Amino acid sequence: MSHKIKTLSEYFQEYQKSIDQPEQFWGQIAENFRWKKPWDKVLSWDFEGPSVKWFENAKLNLTENIFERQLPNLGEKTAIIWEPNDPKEAERRISYSELYELTCQFSNALESQGIQKGDRVIIYMPMVPEAAIAMLACARVGAVHSVVFAGFSSTALADRINDCQAKMVLTSDGNFRGAKNIAVKAVVDEALERTDCIEKVIVYQRTKEEVTMKAGRDVWWHEVIENESRSHAAASLDAEDLLFILYTSGSTGKPKGVVHTTAGYMVYSHYSFSNVFQYNQDDVYWCTADVGWITGHSYIVYGPLLEGATTLMFEGVPTYPHAGRFWEIVDKYKVNQFYTAPTAIRALQAYGLEPLEPYSLDSLKVIGSVGEPINEEAWHWYHDHIGKGKCPLVDTWWQTETGGIMISPLAGITPNKPAHASLPLPGIQPIIVDAEGEELKGNNVEGNLCIKFPWPSILRTTYGDHKRCKETYFSAYPGLYFTGDGVKRDHDGYLRILGRVDDVINVSGHRMGTAEVENAINEHPKVIESAVVGYPHDIKGQGIYAYAICDMEDNTQEELILQIKDTVRKIIGPIAKPDAVQIVPGLPKTRSGKIMRRILRKVASRDISNMGDTSTLLNPEIVDQIIKGAGL
Ligand code: WT7
């Protein structure tokens, strides 16, 4: 498809056009898609409401843009390559025409099982092509999917089901992850004890282990599709109809459902994919994320499929059965674009160069990074040893809320600068502000990253709570979308993301609200109060450090620490389990009762050289006790 930028000067031209005439710019790009009815207006917006509408009153179906629009040219081309967890099991290759038929068939099954336009469907599945088929089928019938990462606990799953009042769960019996076999269906069963809105559960058979099937509620995937037709008339959806909800953590305790709508998300996930990765017709593209995160939505499923790309989906983990698995897969399928997270790079870097030796990695043309700031050491290792010094490295900054990549080099076009996300994509208008909201113009400035103009895939609301959307993103600096990240514009005008400036920590590229972890810790009956902070962690980027005031009557510290970690694992999931728990006699508090987290961060980081001003503390003596308790 057109609108692929090819040179740096073209990038600057397109960028200027997108700022000067945004409606014309996006209108022209949108014309490449298939619409059932054209739009009346490209964009109406205000960031006060907030209210953003793209391609107003247009009608379309996103999946027609993957299938009907492209099938005449792509029919037999491989859409999805699936590599199983166990390399001895056979891979799967699904062509565009097969994927179309499977999507239609499952769309019919969803409808037969009672799903209608607008219904919410939870997808809690392993990394199998059926997870993508489930998403596409929802999009085809106009149901709103909400994928929940299959590593989340039953409590976290139940919270999400209840928040969006979902009618159906799509899941599997189990999930092969490395040497483990995770009992997925059992987690769903537990979650459903705490919900009353789910009418049906469709279970995909993956591991063939025994599961309990509740009569009248639970049905097998292979049985419900059996007699369904492989064609389906796509629902006609409004441009602003909900495409999906994806839950993400914030600085308050409860995860929020970020809402993305149909047309804008379609246009932007495709545009950004095409330009950042510079995908060419016969390339094989691989993003290692899980479909449970936004990266999997936009850059395993929607963006690549809208481009007609071959997208690789990997069920397993980077180190199973050996630390060269990623590179083995790159060589096996001759992967051309490879997109992963800094935490994976650092973890593999720790194994040294030996696991790389059997592999040529010759096919690679572009390598990418996402999820957290990539430190310079990891950047160079990735660039030198994986990209062999010849592949452009795209460090892509974006968020669940942005729907697509916002700031990134365009592969082979934007000059690479280590650890810099670099320049905004066309249509993206970043602005750096100080604490008071004053714009910091020019180069060599550092401040908070905001965006001052809407782009097609900006979140529209947080599900069921528009006020929260306004407060979280549009209130800190009125008239601007606030990202929660700090940023530096260097002397060349290139942007470098510095990390979160709010109470959100980034653990292995996963966003975790400190309040959310605290809430989980506080569920332990012996915990009186807790405070959670992030600290630098060699592999994870940030680790989770929890301080807890406990009733010590019947337990030893060691017992309590283990129990607290386990409580968090049960309530949220393994990804939120604290790396360190310190039992403390008290927490440093200001006279207004606020915990002085700055101090807790310093102790967690093992950096107590300069504790700053502690004179406003209600209990200054606690600082020394905490330092001592940490063994410093
Ligand atoms: C937060 C968003 C977007 C997909 C994965 C995470 C951090 C993301 C980068 C990057 C520096 C990054 C930010 C952002 N982040 N990519 N290339 N450089 N920081 O999505 O869970 O919504 O988290 O991840 O802090 O705000 P998410």
Side-chain angles (χ1 to χ4, degrees):
M1 251 217 308
S2 53
H3 293 109
K4 197 175 280 165
I5 292 166
K6 284 285 158 211
T7 63
L8 193 59
S9 64
E10 207 184 317
Y11 160 74
F12 285 117
Q13 270 167 25
E14 289 293 293
Y15 188 79
Q16 201 52 46
K17 184 175 164 201
S18 76
I19 307 290
D20 296 341
Q21 301 173 301
E23 293 198 41
Q24 219 184 52
F25 178 83
W26 289 112
Q28 270 174 14
I29 289 171
E31 272 165 24
N32 289 307
F33 292 91
R34 176 179 174 129
W35 302 86
K36 290 175 185 280
K37 175 178 171 282
W39 53 88
D40 295 335
K41 193 168 180 348
V42 174
L43 169 67
S44 7
W45 70 287
D46 78 77
F47 274 178
E48 256 72 86
S51 160
V52 178
K53 289 187 190 131
W54 282 93
F55 311 109
E56 217 169 335
N57 296 328
K59 300 275 181 209
L60 75 158
N61 189 288
L62 189 152
T63 68
E64 281 193 347
N65 282 282
I66 294 176
F67 299 120
E68 281 85 342
R69 182 178 63 107
Q70 301 188 104
L71 279 172
N73 306 322
L74 296 179
E76 297 322 308
K77 179 176 176 179
T78 302
I80 297 178
I81 300 175
W82 177 74
E83 168 71 10
N85 180 60
D86 180 351
K88 292 199 282 296
E89 194 185 334
E91 76 254 24
R92 290 167 69 187
R93 286 172 204 263
I94 303 175
S95 69
Y96 270 86
S97 48
E98 282 168 305
L99 187 63
Y100 173 55
E101 291 189 0
L102 293 168
T103 300
C104 286
Q105 188 181 36
F106 198 65
S107 302
N108 287 319
L110 284 177
E111 288 175 340
S112 299
Q113 296 299 319
I115 290 300
Q116 293 174 348
K117 186 182 160 203
D119 287 342
R120 274 80 56 214
V121 175
I122 296 282
I123 301 177
Y124 187 75
M125 289 181 74
M127 284 288 288
V128 289
E130 280 67 20
I133 292 167
M135 293 163 74
L136 296 170
C138 286
R140 191 143 180 112
V141 306
V144 181
H145 61 70
S146 185
V147 186
V148 177
F149 173 60
F152 275 118
S153 70
S154 64
T155 316
L157 175 60
D159 289 347
R160 287 156 176 76
I161 292 172
N162 286 329
D163 187 79
C164 69
Q165 287 291 296
K167 200 164 158 186
M168 185 182 274
V169 178
L170 308 176
T171 189
S172 67
D173 46 359
N175 181 2
F176 293 128
R177 293 277 292 168
K180 288 187 220 145
N181 177 356
I182 301 159
V184 180
K185 174 63 165 55
V187 180
V188 173
D189 292 339
E190 220 176 279
L192 295 193
E193 283 168 23
R194 305 183 47 231
T195 67
D196 52 18
C197 47
I198 296 296
E199 293 170 11
K200 281 269 156 68
V201 179
I202 303 183
V203 187
Y204 176 73
Q205 199 171 38
R206 170 66 189 118
T207 58
K208 303 226 160 79
E209 69 196 61
E210 223 171 292
V211 296
T212 6
M213 297 290 279
K214 188 170 166 187
R217 187 194 71 185
D218 301 351
V219 287
W220 289 106
W221 182 294
H222 56 268
E223 286 176 10
V224 297
I225 61 171
E226 215 166 35
N227 296 314
E228 296 293 354
S229 138
R230 290 184 163 224
S231 64
H232 177 276
S236 177
L237 301 179
D238 191 89
E240 285 297 334
D241 274 341
L242 271 60
L243 177 64
F244 65 85
I245 305 167
L246 188 57
Y247 285 87
T248 189
S249 298
S251 41
T252 55
K254 205 174 137 247
K256 46 188 177 273
V258 168
V259 168
H260 285 290
T261 57
T262 305
Y265 178 84
M266 171 182 79
V267 168
Y268 197 77
S269 63
H270 173 257
Y271 179 81
S272 52
F273 172 77
S274 180
N275 279 289
V276 169
F277 295 102
Q278 294 287 309
Y279 180 88
N280 286 315
Q281 221 185 347
D282 298 318
D283 290 346
V284 174
Y285 160 88
W286 179 22
C287 165
T288 69
D290 190 283
V291 288
W293 312 114
I294 190 71
T295 309
H297 284 59
S298 302
Y299 301 113
I300 294 178
V301 180
Y302 289 115
L305 294 178
L306 285 160
E307 169 87 4
T310 297
T311 176
L312 195 154
M313 201 171 174
F314 173 43
E315 182 181 35
V317 297
T319 50
Y320 180 82
H322 56 80
R325 185 72 193 277
F326 269 6
W327 322 127
E328 182 180 77
I329 297 173
V330 167
D331 274 12
K332 179 173 175 189
Y333 299 104
K334 306 212 172 355
V335 170
N336 303 110
Q337 290 88 8
F338 175 73
Y339 190 29
T340 195
T343 186
I345 297 163
R346 288 189 301 262
L348 294 172
Q349 187 183 355
Y351 287 89
L353 295 176
E354 209 178 310
L356 283 167
E357 277 165 16
Y359 310 107
S360 82
L361 305 180
D362 274 351
S363 55
L364 288 177
K365 296 197 283 195
V366 176
I367 55 177
S369 168
V370 61
E372 56 174 306
I374 178 166
N375 50 305
E376 287 189 36
E377 198 196 336
W379 195 99
H380 284 292
W381 190 85
Y382 192 28
H383 186 257
D384 295 352
H385 297 292
I386 306 306
K388 310 281 187 196
K390 68 174 172 41
C391 298
L393 196 170
V394 291
D395 175 5
T396 63
W397 174 84
W398 58 298
Q399 311 178 294
T400 304
E401 293 84 347
T402 70
I405 297 168
M406 302 285 281
I407 302 175
S408 169
L410 306 184
I413 293 169
T414 317
N416 259 176
K417 191 174 233 193
H420 285 69
S422 300
L423 299 174
L425 263 66
I428 308 307
Q429 303 191 33
I431 158 170
I432 306 180
V433 299
D434 64 16
E436 281 69 49
E438 282 304 315
E439 176 169 7
L440 301 171
K441 293 197 175 129
N443 293 344
N444 269 323
V445 292
E446 195 176 310
N448 293 336
L449 176 60
C450 296
I451 316 284
K452 66 177 175 195
F453 194 86
W455 60 99
S457 61
I458 185 175
L459 88 159
R460 300 301 196 267
T461 188
T462 46
Y463 193 79
D465 194 350
H466 195 61
K467 204 169 134 239
R468 193 161 173 214
C469 172
K470 183 185 169 85
E471 277 165 10
T472 313
Y473 308 104
F474 298 93
S475 297
Y477 306 108
L480 301 176
Y481 166 83
F482 176 46
T483 64
D485 280 311
V487 68
K488 178 180 172 159
R489 195 189 293 116
D490 75 1
H491 50 89
D492 293 327
Y494 277 43
L495 298 167
R496 178 176 196 154
I497 307 296
L498 303 171
R500 302 292 304 196
V501 294
D502 52 10
D503 286 330
V504 168
I505 48 188
N506 192 324
V507 187
S508 302
H510 302 312
R511 201 200 301 192
M512 203 51 69
T514 52
E516 197 183 341
V517 183
E518 287 161 9
N519 288 349
I521 293 175
N522 297 347
E523 291 287 313
H524 189 287
K526 294 291 172 68
V527 172
I528 296 159
E529 196 182 359
S530 66
V532 165
V533 295
Y535 71 99
H537 186 289
D538 283 348
I539 304 283
K540 297 179 173 186
Q542 280 189 295
I544 302 178
Y545 198 109
Y547 298 87
I549 309 174
C550 295
D551 165 5
M552 300 293 299
E553 216 167 309
D554 315 304
N555 298 92
T556 65
Q557 287 217 12
E558 289 67 34
E559 283 167 354
L560 278 175
I561 289 170
L562 284 177
Q563 288 172 17
I564 287 172
K565 288 185 179 180
D566 202 49
T567 304
V568 179
R569 189 184 57 77
K570 279 198 194 116
I571 293 181
I572 307 176
I575 52 174
K577 196 172 111 177
D579 298 278
V581 177
Q582 184 181 342
I583 311 279
V584 290
L587 291 164
K589 288 203 176 160
T590 63
R591 279 170 224 285
S592 57
K594 254 187 98 172
I595 296 172
M596 211 183 253
R597 285 172 189 274
R598 178 170 58 77
I599 290 177
L600 299 178
R601 281 191 211 106
K602 287 219 144 224
V603 175
S605 313
R606 300 299 193 242
D607 165 26
I608 51 165
S609 50
N610 175 12
M611 293 305 266
D613 182 15
T614 54
S615 64
T616 56
L617 282 179
L618 203 59
N619 51 350
E621 71 289 347
I622 202 73
V623 178
D624 278 337
Q625 293 175 31
I626 290 178
I627 292 174
K628 245 171 87 205
L632 297 174

